[in-house]
């Protein structure tokens, strides 16, 4: 199912890994209705690293969950690798997520009764495959958790747990990585290491990265920053410098510019 390129500017130099087409998500109804994602059209090209920034409550996590097929839009469509995911059965969708997608969640989602290494190996275990121990050790070393691999999550600090969750998301070599505040619990050095790894995954390995962050310095590692405000894309910044991101975020009192949509 190619040919779904319904974006406003239509620049299609790279194939899309993920596309949102008029995606909307509301909670509740009537006067109690909350519009979490108002109407977003965006394409995420293969091998590119996109940061999603915006104020608290602007709809970033909701958008990420919709893009990853973890949540269903109220209206609109999400297309992953050319497939409209609403056409997939539950099993097909979970296979797609398991085989193609890595997630780094805000709350880590580690299993408490498994060691760090077993947690990291989960994407392999769930697929009935042998873990690539060498690759896993390499990722653990890069993230500075190689001496914590036999610890349970409760025996680790918040930042170490976050790095285990990152290693798990990356170990299976997913085509697309969705990360929600992956540097939120990390110190400056660990943040830089993680961002360098994500940068490298996109540049050298052609993996697609979509990362929600509050940190303009983290967004500056990306090829592009989408600024979300009130459930809409307020700006789309190419090669974002931290100062550009700060400037756009500071304009949040002004009405959102829906023209700025997609690239
Ligand atoms: N399950 C839900 N039920 C009702 N409202 C929800 C639900 N999930 C999110 N919302 C609302 O949708 C809006 C967007 O939430 P979302 O979590 O996407 O924001 P966010 O940009 O990720 O914020 P933060 O930066 O604080 O993580 C918020 O107003 C939130 O209260
Ligand atoms: Mg959030």
């Amino acid at each position: 199912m190619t040919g779904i390129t319904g974006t406003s500017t239509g620049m299609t130099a790279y194939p899309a890994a993920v596309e949102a087409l008029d995606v909307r998500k509301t909670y509740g109804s009537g006067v109690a209705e909350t519009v979490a994602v108002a109407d977003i059209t965006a394409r995420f090209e293969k091998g590119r690293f996109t940061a999603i920034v915006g104020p608290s409550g602007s709809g970033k996590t909701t958008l990420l969950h919709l893009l990853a097929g973890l949540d269903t839009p109220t209206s609109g469509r999400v297309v992953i690798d050319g497939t409209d995911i609403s056409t997939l059965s539950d099993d097909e969708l979970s296979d797609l997520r398991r085989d193609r997608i890595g997630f780094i969640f805000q709350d880590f989602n580690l299993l408490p009764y498994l060691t760090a290494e077993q947690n990291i190996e989960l994407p392999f275990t769930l697929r009935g495959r042998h873990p690539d121990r060498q690759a896993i050790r390499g990722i653990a070393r890069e993230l500075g958790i190689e001496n914590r691999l036999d610890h349970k999550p409760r025996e680790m600090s918040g930042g170490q747990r976050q790095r285990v969750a990152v290693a798990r998301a990356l170990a299976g070599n997913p085509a697309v990585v969705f990360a929600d505040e992956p540097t939120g619990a990390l110190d400056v050095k660990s943040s830089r290491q993680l961002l360098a790894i994500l940068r490298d995954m996109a540049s050298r390995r052609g993996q697609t990265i979509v990362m929600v962050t509050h940190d303009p310095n983290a967004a500056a590692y990306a090829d592009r920053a989408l600024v979300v405000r009130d459930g809409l894309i307020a700006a789309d910044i190419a090669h974002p410098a931290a100062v550009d991101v700060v400037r756009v975020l500071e304009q949040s009192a002004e009405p959102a510019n829906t023209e700025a949509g997609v690239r």
Side-chain angles (χ1 to χ4, degrees), residues 124-205:
F124 293 90
T125 320
L126 292 174
R127 274 184 258 177
R129 281 177 33 199
H130 285 294
D132 184 345
R133 289 243 153 80
Q134 210 175 338
I136 288 175
R137 297 276 158 141
I139 292 168
R141 201 174 317 114
E142 283 184 75
L143 289 167
I145 48 166
E146 73 274 31
N147 58 356
R148 288 287 178 282
L149 288 176
D150 55 354
H151 289 234
K152 301 267 174 65
R154 66 168 181 280
E155 301 160 346
M156 289 182 278
S157 74
Q160 288 164 347
R161 284 201 289 272
Q162 186 155 31
R163 281 175 276 166
V164 172
V166 168
R168 182 183 58 189
L170 307 188
N173 210 18
V176 187
V177 173
F178 292 102
D180 199 352
E181 295 283 355
T183 59
L186 301 186
D187 58 44
V188 175
K189 182 165 167 251
S190 308
S191 293
R192 284 198 190 129
Q193 282 167 338
L194 169 57
L195 291 162
I197 290 173
L198 294 176
R199 181 63 269 171
D200 197 56
M201 288 172 69
S203 303
R204 282 204 309 127
R205 302 208 275 174

Side-chain angles (χ1 to χ4, degrees), residues 27-28 34-37 54-63 106 180-181 212 214:
Y27 295 103
T34 304
V35 181
V37 169
S56 181
S58 57
K60 305 180 297 295
T61 295
T62 308
L63 176 62
Q106 245 167 336
D180 199 352
E181 295 283 355
V212 168
H214 277 115

Side-chain angles (χ1 to χ4, degrees), residues 52-250:
I52 298 179
V53 298
S56 181
S58 57
K60 305 180 297 295
T61 295
T62 308
L63 176 62
L64 204 68
H65 286 189
L66 293 169
L67 292 172
L70 291 169
D71 206 348
T72 313
T74 309
S75 59
R77 284 176 300 154
V78 170
V79 178
I80 299 180
D81 264 345
T83 301
D84 175 348
I85 61 172
S86 70
T87 65
L88 299 177
S89 68
D90 287 352
D91 283 352
E92 288 169 332
L93 184 57
S94 21
D95 287 353
L96 175 80
R97 283 199 304 252
R98 190 193 58 199
D99 296 338
R100 312 271 302 150
I101 296 177
F103 299 101
I104 307 170
F105 292 106
Q106 245 167 336
D107 57 3
F108 316 146
N109 277 346
L110 298 179
L111 297 182
Y113 48 88
L114 298 182
T115 65
E117 185 157 37
Q118 290 164 337
N119 266 290
I120 296 170
E121 288 172 355
L122 262 184
F124 293 90
T125 320
L126 292 174
R127 274 184 258 177
R129 281 177 33 199
H130 285 294
D132 184 345
R133 289 243 153 80
Q134 210 175 338
I136 288 175
R137 297 276 158 141
I139 292 168
R141 201 174 317 114
E142 283 184 75
L143 289 167
I145 48 166
E146 73 274 31
N147 58 356
R148 288 287 178 282
L149 288 176
D150 55 354
H151 289 234
K152 301 267 174 65
R154 66 168 181 280
E155 301 160 346
M156 289 182 278
S157 74
Q160 288 164 347
R161 284 201 289 272
Q162 186 155 31
R163 281 175 276 166
V164 172
V166 168
R168 182 183 58 189
L170 307 188
N173 210 18
V176 187
V177 173
F178 292 102
D180 199 352
E181 295 283 355
T183 59
L186 301 186
D187 58 44
V188 175
K189 182 165 167 251
S190 308
S191 293
R192 284 198 190 129
Q193 282 167 338
L194 169 57
L195 291 162
I197 290 173
L198 294 176
R199 181 63 269 171
D200 197 56
M201 288 172 69
S203 303
R204 282 204 309 127
R205 302 208 275 174
Q207 287 163 290
T208 307
I209 316 288
V210 183
M211 172 184 78
V212 168
T213 182
H214 277 115
D215 178 0
N217 292 307
Y221 279 76
D223 297 305
R224 173 195 190 196
L226 287 182
V227 183
V228 176
R229 192 186 306 152
D230 299 330
L232 290 167
I233 294 175
D236 185 345
I237 310 170
H239 311 294
V243 286
D244 302 332
V245 177
V246 171
R247 185 159 27 87
V248 175
L249 286 173
E250 281 172 351

